[in-house]
Amino acid sequence: MSHTLDIQNGVVEMSHGSGGRASHTLIRELFASHLDNPYLRQNNDNARFDAPPGSLVMSVDSHVVSPIFFPGGDLGALAVHGTLNDVAMSGAVPLHLTAGFILEEGYPLADLERIVMSMARAAKDAGVEIIAGDTKVVERGHGDGVFITTTGIGVIPPGSARISGDAAQPGDAILISGSMGDHGAAIMLARESMDFDHAIQSDSAALHDLIAHMLRIVPNIHCLRDPTRGGLATTLNELAEQSNVGMVIEESAIPIQPQVAAVCELLGLDPLTLANEGKLIAICPPDQAQTLLKAMRAHPLGENAAIIGEVTEADAGMVQLVTGFGGRRILDWLAGTPLPRIC
Amino acid sequence: MSHTLDIQNGVVEMSHGSGGRASHTLIRELFASHLDNPYLRQNNDNARFDAPPGSLVMSVDSHVVSPIFFPGGDLGALAVHGTLNDVAMSGAVPLHLTAGFILEEGYPLADLERIVMSMARAAKDAGVEIIAGDTKVVERGHGDGVFITTTGIGVIPPGSARISGDAAQPGDAILISGSMGDHGAAIMLARESMDFDHAIQSDSAALHDLIAHMLRIVPNIHCLRDPTRGGLATTLNELAEQSNVGMVIEESAIPIQPQVAAVCELLGLDPLTLANEGKLIAICPPDQAQTLLKAMRAHPLGENAAIIGEVTEADAGMVQLVTGFGGRRILDWLAGTPLPRIC
């Protein structure tokens, strides 16, 4: 009796979620073979490790992006990048990830393997390992291919300055690391099967190396956050509310790729509410802004970084956009659901 | 403009997963209000904490149990217990949990609140907190109500003996903490809407307190594992394979509740392959077995504990069952899918 999976032609079956023989075969031949590391090899339903000194940071994200494969990325890489970035926004060095998979009966094993290989590559590139995993299977029509929930853990080196969404101060400068809306626009195009002259790629990327570089040069950054679901508009509003400050943003200073702007105009969407998966917002004391900008631009993931505005004492909780004509409008939270299942 | 959720009559909407205003309202009014703790109040897409000295342990489980509410438990409590138990089986003291929710459009908010309240209660009873969370929404027909993926972290106190699935030694005694098959039988009955005289309750419970009690009295336990999916049969086979040992189990020594045995006979199922969610297997040196048994029986979650067999050098990787008539049969891994979505 052979227990070998037929990855090329096989599909996910209910027995792959039973916990019995079929589950073990799937885990060994598909998951463990690509994600292999000393922690998974402990084979203990849990992974034991030692952390370097410092405070710990954990973050979790469930990923349900549709379609699963899109220009510039896929569910697997996104599940690694998204959670690593949430950990890194505290200033922590990411250490490890765990991953829980919810598979739909009938999903092709070859596609599942592509996703797992992509996760393995993204984790390796980021210098982390997936140390524990779990796989469940739901009946056809009760899932949607593959959902992946990743939890990340990282460590904040002792003596680091505190980075938090409530730490923005009036006068602080607001920077972003690059163009806005790329991920949202790429997903939208992939979903609509639109034939567009200039393909738009998702910006999906792990940002911890950029952050480490920024903190080496400007250790007293006040806030870091990645403008994912809800985009720049929503994330700035979150930070303004949390720090109880106002913000004034120069619209013309926000980098937006021409093809993203064109797609948004065509479809009536605002690039400032579109998700990003490889960009960050940084808020720092005004006298550090130019130094931080230069540091960001020196890193491949920050080469289009820009100073986009400043924190104000007035109008607490409100984000105002100075438009091209010198007028001002409120930049509000995302309302409604222009683009579901973006990550 | 009111942002108040109508929890009694409302349902999950796609906008609750957008990351914008509606997501924030759902998180604040439904999740944060029940799970409230200082870590969630950091409001930072990540949670920062300090861990006591020792090695760290992480474990992840996705929970897709159907039905979501069942006698003796529900998805929310199970998602806490299942992951805490996987952490505790290393001998670790559980510290924290994270939770990723995948909600289906149209799911009643009142039911979601019941689940979240149950999680909150289970976590509080276990002395842990849910320090980070995430919520995604998928379209009607692409999910199944609610899926919850929990990741747990715990700490193994310095100087603890190593507990691992590969540490069983020939001659060791094999114990279990109580009756087998209760969770599987309870789910099965709930699913079949069978009218059965004696209601069967799931054994869903957090076992870390039982384990701490066991380790205080017998610090050199070799293996601990909870026989969840695949049941006692599969979990013993995992341990036999991992430790490269044989096992001989006395069938008559395995406690099985009469009503569970009756349901299994009726439906042609084997209680030894049914899932448990509040039981553990312990393997220890033979001269400690009686002491450990007594310790387990002194704890409410181990009062029906039993010594069920021993580890052998012969027949490595094989589990043999000594039947009521003195014969022997191979106790094999679970094959096929008698009972999908059990946890």
Side-chain angles (χ1 to χ4, degrees), chain B residues 23-57:
Chain B
S23 299
H24 280 255
T25 303
L26 180 74
I27 289 166
R28 191 180 60 240
E29 298 187 13
L30 199 151
F31 288 98
S33 70
H34 295 296
L35 301 175
D36 180 57
N37 62 56
Y39 305 101
L40 288 177
R41 261 178 265 138
Q42 294 173 9
N43 262 323
N44 271 336
D45 291 351
N46 54 57
R48 180 175 174 160
F49 60 97
D50 292 299
S55 287
L56 297 171
V57 169

PDB file of all heavy atoms in Angstrom, chain B residues 23-57:
ATOM      1  N   SER B  23     -15.709  47.659   9.980  1.00  0.00           N
ATOM      2  CA  SER B  23     -14.836  46.699  10.669  1.00  0.00           C
ATOM      3  C   SER B  23     -14.527  47.179  12.072  1.00  0.00           C
ATOM      4  O   SER B  23     -14.532  46.392  13.031  1.00  0.00           O
ATOM      5  CB  SER B  23     -13.503  46.544   9.926  1.00  0.00           C
ATOM      6  OG  SER B  23     -13.693  46.059   8.634  1.00  0.00           O
ATOM      7  N   HIS B  24     -14.219  48.466  12.182  1.00  0.00           N
ATOM      8  CA  HIS B  24     -13.866  49.005  13.490  1.00  0.00           C
ATOM      9  C   HIS B  24     -15.035  48.922  14.465  1.00  0.00           C
ATOM     10  O   HIS B  24     -14.851  48.648  15.651  1.00  0.00           O
ATOM     11  CB  HIS B  24     -13.356  50.446  13.352  1.00  0.00           C
ATOM     12  CG  HIS B  24     -11.936  50.483  12.924  1.00  0.00           C
ATOM     13  ND1 HIS B  24     -10.905  50.791  13.775  1.00  0.00           N
ATOM     14  CD2 HIS B  24     -11.356  50.176  11.740  1.00  0.00           C
ATOM     15  CE1 HIS B  24      -9.763  50.720  13.129  1.00  0.00           C
ATOM     16  NE2 HIS B  24     -10.002  50.348  11.885  1.00  0.00           N
ATOM     17  N   THR B  25     -16.225  49.175  13.949  1.00  0.00           N
ATOM     18  CA  THR B  25     -17.408  49.093  14.808  1.00  0.00           C
ATOM     19  C   THR B  25     -17.603  47.659  15.296  1.00  0.00           C
ATOM     20  O   THR B  25     -17.846  47.413  16.486  1.00  0.00           O
ATOM     21  CB  THR B  25     -18.650  49.571  14.027  1.00  0.00           C
ATOM     22  OG1 THR B  25     -18.401  50.897  13.559  1.00  0.00           O
ATOM     23  CG2 THR B  25     -19.878  49.569  14.922  1.00  0.00           C
ATOM     24  N   LEU B  26     -17.491  46.695  14.395  1.00  0.00           N
ATOM     25  CA  LEU B  26     -17.650  45.288  14.781  1.00  0.00           C
ATOM     26  C   LEU B  26     -16.617  44.901  15.836  1.00  0.00           C
ATOM     27  O   LEU B  26     -16.938  44.259  16.855  1.00  0.00           O
ATOM     28  CB  LEU B  26     -17.500  44.380  13.555  1.00  0.00           C
ATOM     29  CG  LEU B  26     -17.658  42.883  13.845  1.00  0.00           C
ATOM     30  CD1 LEU B  26     -19.121  42.541  14.084  1.00  0.00           C
ATOM     31  CD2 LEU B  26     -17.106  42.030  12.701  1.00  0.00           C
ATOM     32  N   ILE B  27     -15.378  45.302  15.606  1.00  0.00           N
ATOM     33  CA  ILE B  27     -14.306  44.922  16.538  1.00  0.00           C
ATOM     34  C   ILE B  27     -14.545  45.555  17.900  1.00  0.00           C
ATOM     35  O   ILE B  27     -14.450  44.894  18.932  1.00  0.00           O
ATOM     36  CB  ILE B  27     -12.932  45.321  15.953  1.00  0.00           C
ATOM     37  CG1 ILE B  27     -12.615  44.396  14.767  1.00  0.00           C
ATOM     38  CG2 ILE B  27     -11.839  45.257  17.016  1.00  0.00           C
ATOM     39  CD1 ILE B  27     -11.489  44.873  13.897  1.00  0.00           C
ATOM     40  N   ARG B  28     -14.916  46.843  17.893  1.00  0.00           N
ATOM     41  CA  ARG B  28     -15.074  47.549  19.161  1.00  0.00           C
ATOM     42  C   ARG B  28     -16.284  47.042  19.936  1.00  0.00           C
ATOM     43  O   ARG B  28     -16.199  46.735  21.121  1.00  0.00           O
ATOM     44  CB  ARG B  28     -15.191  49.056  18.910  1.00  0.00           C
ATOM     45  CG  ARG B  28     -15.098  49.910  20.154  1.00  0.00           C
ATOM     46  CD  ARG B  28     -15.211  51.398  19.835  1.00  0.00           C
ATOM     47  NE  ARG B  28     -16.496  51.694  19.201  1.00  0.00           N
ATOM     48  CZ  ARG B  28     -16.628  52.232  17.979  1.00  0.00           C
ATOM     49  NH1 ARG B  28     -15.568  52.542  17.270  1.00  0.00           N
ATOM     50  NH2 ARG B  28     -17.823  52.447  17.463  1.00  0.00           N
ATOM     51  N   GLU B  29     -17.422  46.905  19.223  1.00  0.00           N
ATOM     52  CA  GLU B  29     -18.674  46.632  19.944  1.00  0.00           C
ATOM     53  C   GLU B  29     -18.916  45.159  20.201  1.00  0.00           C
ATOM     54  O   GLU B  29     -19.624  44.812  21.140  1.00  0.00           O
ATOM     55  CB  GLU B  29     -19.853  47.254  19.175  1.00  0.00           C
ATOM     56  CG  GLU B  29     -19.707  48.767  19.093  1.00  0.00           C
ATOM     57  CD  GLU B  29     -20.935  49.456  18.494  1.00  0.00           C
ATOM     58  OE1 GLU B  29     -21.983  48.822  18.356  1.00  0.00           O
ATOM     59  OE2 GLU B  29     -20.797  50.661  18.169  1.00  0.00           O
ATOM     60  N   LEU B  30     -18.342  44.284  19.392  1.00  0.00           N
ATOM     61  CA  LEU B  30     -18.589  42.857  19.616  1.00  0.00           C
ATOM     62  C   LEU B  30     -17.359  42.141  20.172  1.00  0.00           C
ATOM     63  O   LEU B  30     -17.441  41.469  21.195  1.00  0.00           O
ATOM     64  CB  LEU B  30     -19.084  42.200  18.323  1.00  0.00           C
ATOM     65  CG  LEU B  30     -19.804  40.865  18.522  1.00  0.00           C
ATOM     66  CD1 LEU B  30     -20.829  40.610  17.430  1.00  0.00           C
ATOM     67  CD2 LEU B  30     -18.848  39.692  18.600  1.00  0.00           C
ATOM     68  N   PHE B  31     -16.220  42.296  19.517  1.00  0.00           N
ATOM     69  CA  PHE B  31     -15.039  41.559  19.975  1.00  0.00           C
ATOM     70  C   PHE B  31     -14.399  42.189  21.206  1.00  0.00           C
ATOM     71  O   PHE B  31     -14.266  41.557  22.250  1.00  0.00           O
ATOM     72  CB  PHE B  31     -14.003  41.444  18.841  1.00  0.00           C
ATOM     73  CG  PHE B  31     -14.423  40.505  17.760  1.00  0.00           C
ATOM     74  CD1 PHE B  31     -15.000  40.965  16.587  1.00  0.00           C
ATOM     75  CD2 PHE B  31     -14.247  39.141  17.908  1.00  0.00           C
ATOM     76  CE1 PHE B  31     -15.398  40.077  15.585  1.00  0.00           C
ATOM     77  CE2 PHE B  31     -14.634  38.245  16.921  1.00  0.00           C
ATOM     78  CZ  PHE B  31     -15.217  38.720  15.763  1.00  0.00           C
ATOM     79  N   ALA B  32     -14.000  43.458  21.081  1.00  0.00           N
ATOM     80  CA  ALA B  32     -13.239  44.078  22.170  1.00  0.00           C
ATOM     81  C   ALA B  32     -14.062  44.174  23.446  1.00  0.00           C
ATOM     82  O   ALA B  32     -13.523  44.074  24.550  1.00  0.00           O
ATOM     83  CB  ALA B  32     -12.733  45.457  21.742  1.00  0.00           C
ATOM     84  N   SER B  33     -15.380  44.347  23.312  1.00  0.00           N
ATOM     85  CA  SER B  33     -16.170  44.526  24.531  1.00  0.00           C
ATOM     86  C   SER B  33     -16.186  43.253  25.374  1.00  0.00           C
ATOM     87  O   SER B  33     -16.278  43.324  26.592  1.00  0.00           O
ATOM     88  CB  SER B  33     -17.593  44.974  24.180  1.00  0.00           C
ATOM     89  OG  SER B  33     -18.292  43.926  23.565  1.00  0.00           O
ATOM     90  N   HIS B  34     -16.065  42.088  24.754  1.00  0.00           N
ATOM     91  CA  HIS B  34     -16.044  40.841  25.529  1.00  0.00           C
ATOM     92  C   HIS B  34     -14.636  40.354  25.854  1.00  0.00           C
ATOM     93  O   HIS B  34     -14.418  39.704  26.867  1.00  0.00           O
ATOM     94  CB  HIS B  34     -16.813  39.748  24.786  1.00  0.00           C
ATOM     95  CG  HIS B  34     -18.277  40.047  24.654  1.00  0.00           C
ATOM     96  ND1 HIS B  34     -19.097  40.152  25.755  1.00  0.00           N
ATOM     97  CD2 HIS B  34     -19.052  40.294  23.578  1.00  0.00           C
ATOM     98  CE1 HIS B  34     -20.330  40.441  25.346  1.00  0.00           C
ATOM     99  NE2 HIS B  34     -20.325  40.546  24.039  1.00  0.00           N
ATOM    100  N   LEU B  35     -13.699  40.615  24.959  1.00  0.00           N
ATOM    101  CA  LEU B  35     -12.341  40.071  25.146  1.00  0.00           C
ATOM    102  C   LEU B  35     -11.408  41.095  25.796  1.00  0.00           C
ATOM    103  O   LEU B  35     -10.223  40.816  25.982  1.00  0.00           O
ATOM    104  CB  LEU B  35     -11.756  39.653  23.792  1.00  0.00           C
ATOM    105  CG  LEU B  35     -12.547  38.588  23.009  1.00  0.00           C
ATOM    106  CD1 LEU B  35     -11.914  38.373  21.637  1.00  0.00           C
ATOM    107  CD2 LEU B  35     -12.608  37.270  23.774  1.00  0.00           C
ATOM    108  N   ASP B  36     -11.946  42.244  26.136  1.00  0.00           N
ATOM    109  CA  ASP B  36     -11.149  43.377  26.622  1.00  0.00           C
ATOM    110  C   ASP B  36     -10.003  42.983  27.556  1.00  0.00           C
ATOM    111  O   ASP B  36     -10.192  42.241  28.509  1.00  0.00           O
ATOM    112  CB  ASP B  36     -12.078  44.340  27.377  1.00  0.00           C
ATOM    113  CG  ASP B  36     -11.312  45.537  27.901  1.00  0.00           C
ATOM    114  OD1 ASP B  36     -10.686  46.226  27.086  1.00  0.00           O
ATOM    115  OD2 ASP B  36     -11.323  45.752  29.135  1.00  0.00           O
ATOM    116  N   ASN B  37      -8.813  43.483  27.266  1.00  0.00           N
ATOM    117  CA  ASN B  37      -7.653  43.307  28.149  1.00  0.00           C
ATOM    118  C   ASN B  37      -6.606  44.351  27.750  1.00  0.00           C
ATOM    119  O   ASN B  37      -6.732  44.991  26.702  1.00  0.00           O
ATOM    120  CB  ASN B  37      -7.112  41.865  28.076  1.00  0.00           C
ATOM    121  CG  ASN B  37      -6.631  41.495  26.683  1.00  0.00           C
ATOM    122  OD1 ASN B  37      -5.778  42.172  26.118  1.00  0.00           O
ATOM    123  ND2 ASN B  37      -7.203  40.426  26.122  1.00  0.00           N
ATOM    124  N   PRO B  38      -5.567  44.518  28.586  1.00  0.00           N
ATOM    125  CA  PRO B  38      -4.599  45.590  28.298  1.00  0.00           C
ATOM    126  C   PRO B  38      -3.864  45.414  26.966  1.00  0.00           C
ATOM    127  O   PRO B  38      -3.435  46.401  26.367  1.00  0.00           O
ATOM    128  CB  PRO B  38      -3.601  45.487  29.459  1.00  0.00           C
ATOM    129  CG  PRO B  38      -4.311  44.734  30.530  1.00  0.00           C
ATOM    130  CD  PRO B  38      -5.295  43.841  29.858  1.00  0.00           C
ATOM    131  N   TYR B  39      -3.737  44.174  26.498  1.00  0.00           N
ATOM    132  CA  TYR B  39      -3.008  43.941  25.252  1.00  0.00           C
ATOM    133  C   TYR B  39      -3.836  44.412  24.052  1.00  0.00           C
ATOM    134  O   TYR B  39      -3.339  45.094  23.161  1.00  0.00           O
ATOM    135  CB  TYR B  39      -2.644  42.465  25.114  1.00  0.00           C
ATOM    136  CG  TYR B  39      -1.884  41.974  26.303  1.00  0.00           C
ATOM    137  CD1 TYR B  39      -2.509  41.238  27.304  1.00  0.00           C
ATOM    138  CD2 TYR B  39      -0.531  42.295  26.455  1.00  0.00           C
ATOM    139  CE1 TYR B  39      -1.810  40.811  28.416  1.00  0.00           C
ATOM    140  CE2 TYR B  39       0.177  41.878  27.568  1.00  0.00           C
ATOM    141  CZ  TYR B  39      -0.469  41.141  28.552  1.00  0.00           C
ATOM    142  OH  TYR B  39       0.223  40.732  29.657  1.00  0.00           O
ATOM    143  N   LEU B  40      -5.115  44.032  24.042  1.00  0.00           N
ATOM    144  CA  LEU B  40      -5.974  44.491  22.948  1.00  0.00           C
ATOM    145  C   LEU B  40      -6.101  46.011  22.980  1.00  0.00           C
ATOM    146  O   LEU B  40      -6.216  46.662  21.938  1.00  0.00           O
ATOM    147  CB  LEU B  40      -7.369  43.852  23.041  1.00  0.00           C
ATOM    148  CG  LEU B  40      -7.441  42.365  22.676  1.00  0.00           C
ATOM    149  CD1 LEU B  40      -8.855  41.852  22.886  1.00  0.00           C
ATOM    150  CD2 LEU B  40      -6.994  42.124  21.242  1.00  0.00           C
ATOM    151  N   ARG B  41      -6.070  46.568  24.180  1.00  0.00           N
ATOM    152  CA  ARG B  41      -6.202  48.027  24.292  1.00  0.00           C
ATOM    153  C   ARG B  41      -4.986  48.763  23.738  1.00  0.00           C
ATOM    154  O   ARG B  41      -5.024  49.981  23.566  1.00  0.00           O
ATOM    155  CB  ARG B  41      -6.458  48.413  25.753  1.00  0.00           C
ATOM    156  CG  ARG B  41      -7.948  48.674  26.043  1.00  0.00           C
ATOM    157  CD  ARG B  41      -8.196  49.000  27.507  1.00  0.00           C
ATOM    158  NE  ARG B  41      -8.579  47.806  28.243  1.00  0.00           N
ATOM    159  CZ  ARG B  41      -8.143  47.463  29.452  1.00  0.00           C
ATOM    160  NH1 ARG B  41      -7.267  48.243  30.076  1.00  0.00           N
ATOM    161  NH2 ARG B  41      -8.553  46.353  30.021  1.00  0.00           N
ATOM    162  N   GLN B  42      -3.872  48.045  23.461  1.00  0.00           N
ATOM    163  CA  GLN B  42      -2.735  48.685  22.802  1.00  0.00           C
ATOM    164  C   GLN B  42      -3.132  49.151  21.397  1.00  0.00           C
ATOM    165  O   GLN B  42      -2.494  50.042  20.829  1.00  0.00           O
ATOM    166  CB  GLN B  42      -1.546  47.717  22.696  1.00  0.00           C
ATOM    167  CG  GLN B  42      -0.931  47.311  24.036  1.00  0.00           C
ATOM    168  CD  GLN B  42       0.124  46.216  23.884  1.00  0.00           C
ATOM    169  OE1 GLN B  42       0.523  45.855  22.781  1.00  0.00           O
ATOM    170  NE2 GLN B  42       0.587  45.682  25.000  1.00  0.00           N
ATOM    171  N   ASN B  43      -4.129  48.489  20.797  1.00  0.00           N
ATOM    172  CA  ASN B  43      -4.688  48.941  19.503  1.00  0.00           C
ATOM    173  C   ASN B  43      -3.671  49.051  18.385  1.00  0.00           C
ATOM    174  O   ASN B  43      -3.737  49.959  17.568  1.00  0.00           O
ATOM    175  CB  ASN B  43      -5.333  50.326  19.695  1.00  0.00           C
ATOM    176  CG  ASN B  43      -6.817  50.194  19.891  1.00  0.00           C
ATOM    177  OD1 ASN B  43      -7.461  49.346  19.278  1.00  0.00           O
ATOM    178  ND2 ASN B  43      -7.360  51.027  20.764  1.00  0.00           N
ATOM    179  N   ASN B  44      -2.730  48.123  18.331  1.00  0.00           N
ATOM    180  CA  ASN B  44      -1.588  48.316  17.429  1.00  0.00           C
ATOM    181  C   ASN B  44      -1.390  47.258  16.357  1.00  0.00           C
ATOM    182  O   ASN B  44      -0.295  47.139  15.835  1.00  0.00           O
ATOM    183  CB  ASN B  44      -0.298  48.416  18.250  1.00  0.00           C
ATOM    184  CG  ASN B  44      -0.005  49.840  18.661  1.00  0.00           C
ATOM    185  OD1 ASN B  44      -0.457  50.770  18.016  1.00  0.00           O
ATOM    186  ND2 ASN B  44       0.745  50.008  19.719  1.00  0.00           N
ATOM    187  N   ASP B  45      -2.375  46.476  15.976  1.00  0.00           N
ATOM    188  CA  ASP B  45      -2.177  45.393  14.997  1.00  0.00           C
ATOM    189  C   ASP B  45      -1.179  44.362  15.529  1.00  0.00           C
ATOM    190  O   ASP B  45      -0.802  43.431  14.813  1.00  0.00           O
ATOM    191  CB  ASP B  45      -1.644  45.881  13.635  1.00  0.00           C
ATOM    192  CG  ASP B  45      -2.654  46.693  12.861  1.00  0.00           C
ATOM    193  OD1 ASP B  45      -3.824  46.753  13.282  1.00  0.00           O
ATOM    194  OD2 ASP B  45      -2.271  47.252  11.817  1.00  0.00           O
ATOM    195  N   ASN B  46      -0.688  44.573  16.737  1.00  0.00           N
ATOM    196  CA  ASN B  46       0.214  43.608  17.353  1.00  0.00           C
ATOM    197  C   ASN B  46       0.153  43.842  18.857  1.00  0.00           C
ATOM    198  O   ASN B  46      -0.308  44.887  19.305  1.00  0.00           O
ATOM    199  CB  ASN B  46       1.654  43.752  16.832  1.00  0.00           C
ATOM    200  CG  ASN B  46       2.185  45.166  16.965  1.00  0.00           C
ATOM    201  OD1 ASN B  46       2.214  45.728  18.057  1.00  0.00           O
ATOM    202  ND2 ASN B  46       2.588  45.761  15.854  1.00  0.00           N
ATOM    203  N   ALA B  47       0.558  42.858  19.618  1.00  0.00           N
ATOM    204  CA  ALA B  47       0.504  42.962  21.070  1.00  0.00           C
ATOM    205  C   ALA B  47       1.899  42.736  21.633  1.00  0.00           C
ATOM    206  O   ALA B  47       2.597  41.803  21.242  1.00  0.00           O
ATOM    207  CB  ALA B  47      -0.454  41.916  21.634  1.00  0.00           C
ATOM    208  N   ARG B  48       2.280  43.602  22.543  1.00  0.00           N
ATOM    209  CA  ARG B  48       3.613  43.538  23.134  1.00  0.00           C
ATOM    210  C   ARG B  48       3.493  43.034  24.558  1.00  0.00           C
ATOM    211  O   ARG B  48       2.611  43.474  25.303  1.00  0.00           O
ATOM    212  CB  ARG B  48       4.204  44.950  23.116  1.00  0.00           C
ATOM    213  CG  ARG B  48       5.582  45.054  23.697  1.00  0.00           C
ATOM    214  CD  ARG B  48       6.124  46.473  23.508  1.00  0.00           C
ATOM    215  NE  ARG B  48       7.395  46.594  24.206  1.00  0.00           N
ATOM    216  CZ  ARG B  48       8.301  47.537  23.953  1.00  0.00           C
ATOM    217  NH1 ARG B  48       8.058  48.449  23.040  1.00  0.00           N
ATOM    218  NH2 ARG B  48       9.432  47.575  24.624  1.00  0.00           N
ATOM    219  N   PHE B  49       4.369  42.107  24.945  1.00  0.00           N
ATOM    220  CA  PHE B  49       4.320  41.575  26.313  1.00  0.00           C
ATOM    221  C   PHE B  49       5.694  41.050  26.703  1.00  0.00           C
ATOM    222  O   PHE B  49       6.565  40.851  25.859  1.00  0.00           O
ATOM    223  CB  PHE B  49       3.274  40.452  26.422  1.00  0.00           C
ATOM    224  CG  PHE B  49       3.538  39.269  25.526  1.00  0.00           C
ATOM    225  CD1 PHE B  49       4.184  38.137  25.998  1.00  0.00           C
ATOM    226  CD2 PHE B  49       3.137  39.283  24.191  1.00  0.00           C
ATOM    227  CE1 PHE B  49       4.433  37.045  25.168  1.00  0.00           C
ATOM    228  CE2 PHE B  49       3.384  38.204  23.353  1.00  0.00           C
ATOM    229  CZ  PHE B  49       4.029  37.083  23.843  1.00  0.00           C
ATOM    230  N   ASP B  50       5.864  40.835  27.991  1.00  0.00           N
ATOM    231  CA  ASP B  50       7.106  40.245  28.482  1.00  0.00           C
ATOM    232  C   ASP B  50       6.801  38.839  28.989  1.00  0.00           C
ATOM    233  O   ASP B  50       5.776  38.608  29.625  1.00  0.00           O
ATOM    234  CB  ASP B  50       7.709  41.118  29.579  1.00  0.00           C
ATOM    235  CG  ASP B  50       8.186  42.443  29.010  1.00  0.00           C
ATOM    236  OD1 ASP B  50       9.074  42.414  28.141  1.00  0.00           O
ATOM    237  OD2 ASP B  50       7.639  43.486  29.402  1.00  0.00           O
ATOM    238  N   ALA B  51       7.672  37.911  28.659  1.00  0.00           N
ATOM    239  CA  ALA B  51       7.474  36.521  29.076  1.00  0.00           C
ATOM    240  C   ALA B  51       8.403  36.197  30.238  1.00  0.00           C
ATOM    241  O   ALA B  51       9.520  36.723  30.301  1.00  0.00           O
ATOM    242  CB  ALA B  51       7.756  35.586  27.916  1.00  0.00           C
ATOM    243  N   PRO B  52       7.930  35.348  31.154  1.00  0.00           N
ATOM    244  CA  PRO B  52       8.831  34.897  32.221  1.00  0.00           C
ATOM    245  C   PRO B  52       9.971  34.066  31.631  1.00  0.00           C
ATOM    246  O   PRO B  52       9.879  33.622  30.490  1.00  0.00           O
ATOM    247  CB  PRO B  52       7.926  34.038  33.112  1.00  0.00           C
ATOM    248  CG  PRO B  52       6.689  33.771  32.339  1.00  0.00           C
ATOM    249  CD  PRO B  52       6.601  34.761  31.224  1.00  0.00           C
ATOM    250  N   PRO B  53      11.036  33.847  32.406  1.00  0.00           N
ATOM    251  CA  PRO B  53      12.171  33.105  31.853  1.00  0.00           C
ATOM    252  C   PRO B  53      11.783  31.674  31.485  1.00  0.00           C
ATOM    253  O   PRO B  53      10.900  31.084  32.095  1.00  0.00           O
ATOM    254  CB  PRO B  53      13.203  33.105  32.990  1.00  0.00           C
ATOM    255  CG  PRO B  53      12.649  33.884  34.107  1.00  0.00           C
ATOM    256  CD  PRO B  53      11.241  34.257  33.800  1.00  0.00           C
ATOM    257  N   GLY B  54      12.466  31.130  30.500  1.00  0.00           N
ATOM    258  CA  GLY B  54      12.218  29.748  30.076  1.00  0.00           C
ATOM    259  C   GLY B  54      12.123  29.659  28.572  1.00  0.00           C
ATOM    260  O   GLY B  54      12.126  30.672  27.878  1.00  0.00           O
ATOM    261  N   SER B  55      12.058  28.416  28.078  1.00  0.00           N
ATOM    262  CA  SER B  55      11.851  28.221  26.648  1.00  0.00           C
ATOM    263  C   SER B  55      10.407  28.528  26.306  1.00  0.00           C
ATOM    264  O   SER B  55       9.505  28.298  27.113  1.00  0.00           O
ATOM    265  CB  SER B  55      12.143  26.773  26.256  1.00  0.00           C
ATOM    266  OG  SER B  55      13.515  26.520  26.288  1.00  0.00           O
ATOM    267  N   LEU B  56      10.183  29.014  25.095  1.00  0.00           N
ATOM    268  CA  LEU B  56       8.827  29.314  24.637  1.00  0.00           C
ATOM    269  C   LEU B  56       8.280  28.156  23.809  1.00  0.00           C
ATOM    270  O   LEU B  56       9.040  27.384  23.208  1.00  0.00           O
ATOM    271  CB  LEU B  56       8.840  30.592  23.809  1.00  0.00           C
ATOM    272  CG  LEU B  56       9.277  31.843  24.580  1.00  0.00           C
ATOM    273  CD1 LEU B  56       9.471  33.026  23.633  1.00  0.00           C
ATOM    274  CD2 LEU B  56       8.263  32.198  25.658  1.00  0.00           C
ATOM    275  N   VAL B  57       6.979  28.062  23.796  1.00  0.00           N
ATOM    276  CA  VAL B  57       6.296  27.023  23.022  1.00  0.00           C
ATOM    277  C   VAL B  57       5.140  27.680  22.289  1.00  0.00           C
ATOM    278  O   VAL B  57       4.400  28.472  22.886  1.00  0.00           O
ATOM    279  CB  VAL B  57       5.751  25.919  23.950  1.00  0.00           C
ATOM    280  CG1 VAL B  57       4.812  24.985  23.204  1.00  0.00           C
ATOM    281  CG2 VAL B  57       6.909  25.138  24.552  1.00  0.00           C
TER     282      VAL B  57
END
